Amino acid sequence: MDISKNLIRIPLFSSLSEDEIAEIRRCMEIRAFKKRETIFSEGDPPSRFFVLISGKVKITKMSHEGKEIIIELISKGDFFGGFAVLKGFPYPANAVAMEDSSVLRIGRPDLLRIIERFPNIMYQITAHLSERVREFPDTLKNIALERVESRISSLLLKLAEKTGKKTATGETEIDMKLTKQDIAEMVGTTVETSIRVMSRLTKAGLIKNTGGRIIIRDRKGLLAAVNPS
């Protein structure tokens, strides 16, 4: 795989010139992970910074009841493991490949040298991390307090905002494949409940599923489901 061609398309490195890309290319490697393979575990030392080249990765924590909760989905071009690497403390969560995935890895010493050499990369990393930290309490609050239908509707809207693309009919397709299990884990419910809620949303004409991808048909309707009167 030509790492340089991939780097120029990743938002984190898009401000760099071809010569600058070539300069940092020597610090990087591509690693393939199979579906369900662990990339790092909570408590591991922060040895590497990761950027997802292809596939899908979930960031998870275990609840007090021993149930896995997905706190974030990583999509193509996103980075992960950054907060621990920058601060020098153990990874605070688990990263697991949800499908066969290709990941770019940068060792911690190399990343620190890169951000010292290119401050704009540091700015983009910290801005993105700040947004994630801001959203995390909302994620926990939603799991604890809101109705499951509200949580799932809110999740779908968030994913559509993050990865959505317009279809030929003007609807919004979430550009990643999601199983009912994925959705259940992201909102802290059972698969059976996830199936029932998704079925209700489909029958109400708010969403549809095409080839394993969810399409938002009625954004206003989903918003109403998030905040029912």
Side-chain angles (χ1 to χ4, degrees):
M1 179 183 293
D2 189 334
I3 299 179
S4 298
K5 289 183 178 179
N6 280 281
L7 287 178
I8 204 69
R9 292 193 290 266
I10 293 172
L12 186 60
F13 304 116
S14 60
S15 64
L16 302 184
S17 67
E18 289 186 8
D19 289 342
E20 290 168 337
I21 289 288
E23 180 181 337
I24 67 172
R25 159 69 181 85
R26 295 187 293 271
C27 304
M28 304 175 178
E29 63 174 346
I30 295 287
R31 164 75 192 275
F33 289 88
K34 294 292 187 182
K35 183 178 181 179
R36 299 190 183 91
E37 187 175 357
T38 298
I39 299 170
F40 59 74
S41 297
E42 182 176 356
D44 285 351
S47 57
R48 291 184 175 89
F49 175 85
F50 301 87
V51 181
L52 185 61
I53 301 299
S54 65
K56 183 170 62 175
V57 169
K58 61 182 177 180
I59 306 299
T60 73
K61 289 184 76 70
M62 300 300 292
S63 70
H64 293 301
E65 295 77 24
K67 182 178 179 60
E68 182 185 67
I69 298 175
I70 300 177
I71 57 176
E72 187 175 7
L73 282 182
I74 305 298
S75 54
K76 181 179 176 180
D78 283 348
F79 65 83
F80 56 104
F83 196 70
V85 169
L86 291 179
K87 294 295 185 180
F89 56 68
Y91 294 118
N94 311 292
V96 180
M98 299 180 74
E99 58 192 38
D100 290 352
S101 301
S102 181
V103 175
L104 182 149
R105 306 194 303 184
I106 308 173
R108 183 171 188 267
D110 288 323
L111 177 68
L112 297 179
R113 283 193 291 269
I114 288 171
I115 60 180
E116 182 178 5
R117 171 79 171 83
F118 303 106
N120 187 53
I121 291 178
M122 179 62 172
Y123 171 78
Q124 292 189 59
I125 291 174
T126 53
H128 199 64
L129 288 175
S130 296
E131 180 66 16
R132 289 182 182 176
V133 170
R134 184 188 66 80
E135 291 178 352
F136 185 60
D138 290 338
T139 299
L140 295 182
K141 183 186 72 174
N142 290 346
I143 289 173
L145 301 177
E146 293 184 359
R147 298 182 310 116
V148 175
E149 187 163 330
S150 296
R151 301 202 306 259
I152 289 179
S153 299
S154 179
L155 169 66
L156 297 178
L157 289 168
K158 181 179 177 181
L159 292 176
E161 182 178 349
K162 181 179 180 181
T163 71
K165 60 181 184 180
K166 289 294 182 183
T167 66
T169 57
E171 298 168 330
T172 302
E173 176 183 312
I174 296 174
D175 194 18
M176 60 171 62
K177 289 189 175 182
L178 292 168
T179 66
K180 302 299 190 301
Q181 178 77 42
D182 297 336
I183 293 169
E185 290 175 354
M186 289 194 75
V187 300
T189 190
T190 64
V191 176
E192 292 76 12
T193 300
S194 172
I195 291 171
R196 287 197 298 271
V197 171
M198 292 294 286
S199 178
R200 286 201 299 269
L201 296 177
T202 300
K203 289 178 180 177
L206 305 183
I207 64 172
K208 65 181 179 182
N209 192 310
T210 303
R213 295 182 185 268
I214 298 169
I215 294 176
I216 308 297
R217 304 184 65 190
D218 183 350
R219 184 176 181 277
K220 289 184 178 179
L222 272 185
L223 284 171
V226 173
N227 300 297
S229 56

